[in-house]
Amino acid sequence: MISKRSKGSGETSDDSIDAAVARFTDAVDAVRARTSGPLITAARALVYGLVIVTAAVGVVVLVAIAAIRALDIAVPGDVWSAHLIAAGVFGGAGAWAWSKRRPRAARGT
């Protein structure tokens, strides 16, 4: 059994054990904050980023579908005319983006 008084110090051994445990916990907390803290932050950023990208892709697809359906209603004729207009818009956007790219030699690879 552990006595309540240590020899000659006037401090109980429970107090010294509590102080040692407190120092150990502080050290573990400091190591955890420096190692797993940034990893947890990076993992959260990755997960939230993937959720946002997935939601954005879904929204873009739904908006494109709604736009083609609205064109089908607004433009006289069959559905091919709405598809032709949509193909022209998307083709024009793709050609514009292609013209803005940098040549391979300018990218450094």
Side-chain angles (χ1 to χ4, degrees):
M1 183 169 170
I2 300 175
S3 69
K4 289 289 183 182
R5 310 255 318 144
S6 63
K7 296 182 182 179
S9 69
E11 179 180 290
T12 64
S13 53
D14 287 342
D15 291 339
S16 61
I17 291 173
D18 289 342
V21 168
R23 274 184 288 174
F24 179 75
T25 2
D26 290 342
V28 168
D29 288 341
V31 169
R32 180 175 180 251
R34 290 186 181 156
T35 56
S36 62
L39 291 176
I40 290 171
T41 302
R44 284 181 184 159
L46 179 68
V47 169
Y48 289 142
L50 287 174
V51 168
I52 289 170
V53 166
T54 303
V57 166
V59 166
V60 167
V61 168
L62 289 175
V63 166
I65 290 171
I68 291 174
R69 291 195 48 116
L71 275 173
D72 185 29
I73 293 170
V75 175
D78 290 332
V79 72
W80 66 265
S81 57
H83 287 180
L84 182 65
I85 293 170
V89 168
F90 288 128
W96 176 81
W98 188 263
S99 71
K100 296 299 178 187
R101 70 176 175 83
R102 294 183 300 166
R104 187 175 295 260
R107 282 187 271 169
T109 55

